[in-house]
Amino acid sequence: MLNTDPILPHIDSHRADLIVLSDRVWGMPETLYAEYRSCAEHTATLRAKGFRVTEELCGIPTAVLGEAGEGGPVIAILGEYDALPGLSQEANIAEPRPLVAGGAGHGCGHNMLGSAALLAACALKDWLEATGTPGRVRYYGCPAEEGGAAKAFMVRDGAFADVDAAITWHPNAMTKVFDAHSLANTRIDFTFTGRTSHAAVSPHLGRSALDAVELMNVGVNYMREHMPSSARIHYAYLDAGGTAPNVVQGTAKVRYTVRATDLPGMLALIERVRKVAQGAALMTETAVGIKVISAVSNLLGNTPLEEAMQAAMDGLGGVAFDDDDRAYAARIQATLTAEDITAAYRRAGIEPRQGEPLCDYVVPRTVIGDRMMGSTDVADVSWAVPTVQALVATHAIGTPGHTWQITAQGKAPAAHKGMTYAGQVMGATARMLFSDERLLERAKTDHRERLARQPYVCPIPDDVQPPLQPRPAE
């Protein structure tokens, strides 16, 4: 590692505090829009570090903004801290062992994501003060990335209207600048209403909402043959109408996720799925209610920012893991399949390597692997302002996302090293933007040119509000 960037000493002065924050958030996993304790921890840290704090950003109780600096450009550092249901897991072991049966867990590493982003923001605050550089750094504490699309709601409500550029990261098996590619995604609930009846005595008087859901699913499954191969459609029953088979089910609800490589493609697929639902209602003489729950766009890249982040990574080198880190990662790899490990290399665009439990190097930006077929609400920020994202090695190569293995590794020494490195990369990239007006202007020009080719349309209807969760009883 070449410790030459002037942001690095400021990272070092806050590193220990932010590792503590990451581990504390790991220990209080909260799912989408219920991250009250996690948000409070981030808010307290912002205040302790001297940021100007805005709570309940955009009316979301678990969103927070911290700002420091004066004048100049505004650079946003995006953090997250939501967990996933069903992924409770004891830390630093290599076998499934839930801490709470059926409980939530940080199976995507967002405890590190938010803490490293705040680490970068703290370092930038100190650097701006020490150098007298005009500019403002903002930490955005963003909830509900996992299916809640909080950033998309925040973009729609103007939270990024005066931001010049945004920077974020995500825990990964490899270290590289993220190839800005993701699927636009919407979640829609289809609620069918029919008429209950005695299933044996008077079945002819009933109108089955469950039949309607099943017919809808059949119709959508047949539709899969006639849609782009890059698109994805998934569904889950939210209400199957009850458990009594001798009652004709009067209500049933199914949630669909519709994904495509861009917004126009997603919107076209949604209309086709709506028509299938309406057809199912017609066939069963039921009524269907259609409600959008959340939606996100596809990511928009930015070449100047990606080049700047690559330069920051190249200057740092890879994450400096040690033998103990590799030994634990090897034990985790023993719980994985060969296909899991090969897939991680394919996503990074490099040939698989034998006996390599952790990535301690930087994958070049020009190396393109398998495109990510997931979705993220960072995408909507990328349409609002020039945005760049780092992937940083924090866990064993091959570890699938959203698994107990990610939770288990979430507060290991390797994770602490990776999140510190992420803070360094984000801090160095932002420092370049504060220091180089031409770089920032090139980033803005790139962004304007992309928007000219395809203007942004928020995928969330104006009347849809975030599905906020009540504050738990103390």
Side-chain angles (χ1 to χ4, degrees):
M1 180 178 290
L2 305 176
N3 295 316
T4 59
D5 195 287
I7 202 69
L8 300 187
H10 302 293
I11 292 284
D12 290 341
S13 67
H14 296 283
R15 174 183 175 274
D17 291 343
L18 274 299
I19 286 174
V20 169
L21 175 65
S22 176
D23 287 356
R24 284 179 62 81
V25 171
W26 184 96
M28 53 180 70
E30 299 163 301
T31 56
L32 71 171
Y33 293 114
E35 313 94 332
Y36 286 96
R37 294 174 64 199
S38 301
C39 182
E41 292 286 342
H42 280 251
T43 302
T45 302
L46 285 166
R47 294 193 191 282
K49 298 293 184 179
F51 285 82
R52 302 183 293 272
V53 175
T54 301
E55 297 187 63
E56 299 196 12
L57 187 64
C58 296
I60 301 174
T62 55
V64 64
L65 183 148
E67 182 181 82
E70 300 291 342
V74 177
I75 307 301
I77 311 294
L78 310 181
E80 300 164 13
Y81 31 72
D82 57 324
L84 287 156
L87 292 179
S88 175
Q89 168 64 31
E90 186 175 329
N92 300 321
I93 63 172
E95 62 179 286
R97 191 185 301 167
L99 288 171
V100 178
H106 275 283
C108 206
H110 292 184
N111 59 300
M112 293 178 281
L113 199 166
S115 300
L118 185 46
L119 173 60
C122 289
L124 287 161
K125 173 182 177 295
D126 288 356
W127 178 81
L128 288 170
E129 292 173 354
T131 60
T133 301
R136 285 168 285 166
V137 59
R138 285 186 189 162
Y139 171 75
Y140 284 79
C142 306
E145 189 277 334
E146 299 289 359
K151 295 184 196 68
F153 286 105
M154 293 160 70
V155 168
R156 188 190 68 179
D157 292 350
F160 298 91
D162 61 344
V163 171
D164 291 283
I167 301 171
T168 191
W169 79 292
H170 202 285
N172 199 263
M174 302 291 184
T175 298
K176 65 178 298 184
V177 178
F178 186 60
D179 174 28
H181 181 90
S182 67
L183 298 182
N185 172 355
T186 190
R187 296 187 177 208
I188 307 177
D189 286 355
F190 296 86
T191 303
F192 290 87
T193 304
R195 187 165 65 242
T196 58
S197 179
H198 194 297
V201 175
S202 52
H204 57 289
L205 299 180
R207 298 293 182 267
S208 174
L210 180 58
D211 286 355
V213 169
E214 292 191 296
L215 285 167
M216 178 186 175
N217 294 341
V218 169
V220 172
N221 285 336
Y222 274 106
M223 196 183 91
R224 295 178 194 278
E225 183 182 357
H226 307 287
M227 67 185 201
S229 59
S230 57
R232 299 285 187 271
I233 299 181
H234 331 278
Y235 62 87
Y237 284 88
L238 301 186
D239 178 5
T243 59
N246 60 338
V247 176
V248 174
Q249 293 91 343
T251 61
K253 180 188 291 189
V254 64
R255 175 167 294 176
Y256 266 77
T257 295
V258 180
R259 307 187 201 234
T261 55
D262 57 30
L263 276 172
M266 182 186 74
L267 294 174
L269 275 180
I270 290 170
E271 287 308 306
R272 294 177 66 187
V273 172
R274 285 175 180 266
K275 289 177 181 178
V276 172
Q278 290 160 354
L282 182 63
M283 284 189 287
T284 54
E285 296 186 28
T286 59
V288 60
I290 303 173
K291 181 181 179 182
V292 174
I293 302 301
S294 65
V296 300
S297 304
N298 55 295
L299 277 164
L300 194 67
N302 191 280
T303 301
L305 289 185
E306 291 159 9
E307 291 173 344
M309 180 171 278
Q310 183 70 50
M313 287 185 172
D314 290 342
L316 290 166
V319 183
F321 297 115
D322 60 28
D323 289 342
D324 288 341
D325 298 327
R326 294 184 184 91
Y328 177 47
R331 294 198 298 274
I332 290 290
Q333 280 191 329
T335 72
L336 310 175
T337 67
E339 290 80 5
D340 290 329
I341 296 170
T342 299
Y345 286 102
R346 289 183 56 186
R347 284 191 294 271
I350 58 179
E351 289 296 317
R353 305 178 184 186
Q354 296 295 322
E356 184 177 69
L358 287 166
C359 171
D360 58 4
Y361 48 87
V362 177
V363 179
R365 185 180 69 87
T366 52
V367 175
I368 304 299
D370 291 348
R371 297 283 190 173
M372 187 191 79
M373 303 308 287
S375 305
T376 173
D377 61 3
V378 172
D380 288 271
V381 179
S382 75
W383 286 86
V385 300
T387 302
V388 67
Q389 186 170 3
L391 301 178
V392 176
T394 61
H395 52 255
I397 294 172
T399 312
H402 295 196
T403 60
W404 67 263
Q405 289 97 330
I406 293 286
T407 311
Q409 296 173 84
K411 53 189 292 191
H416 297 158
K417 294 180 178 72
M419 64 165 279
T420 300
Y421 180 95
Q424 293 170 333
V425 168
M426 290 184 288
T429 305
R431 183 202 55 76
M432 294 181 205
L433 289 169
F434 283 123
S435 304
D436 187 346
E437 293 181 3
R438 292 174 297 177
L439 172 59
L440 184 56
E441 186 50 46
R442 290 201 307 273
K444 290 182 175 182
T445 298
D446 182 287
H447 190 255
R448 285 193 297 267
E449 290 174 350
R450 293 173 191 260
L451 285 179
R453 292 192 292 269
Q454 184 177 323
Y456 175 63
V457 177
C458 182
I460 303 176
D462 290 341
D463 61 342
V464 174
Q465 299 303 313
L468 304 180
Q469 301 299 308
R471 187 183 296 272
E474 295 276 329

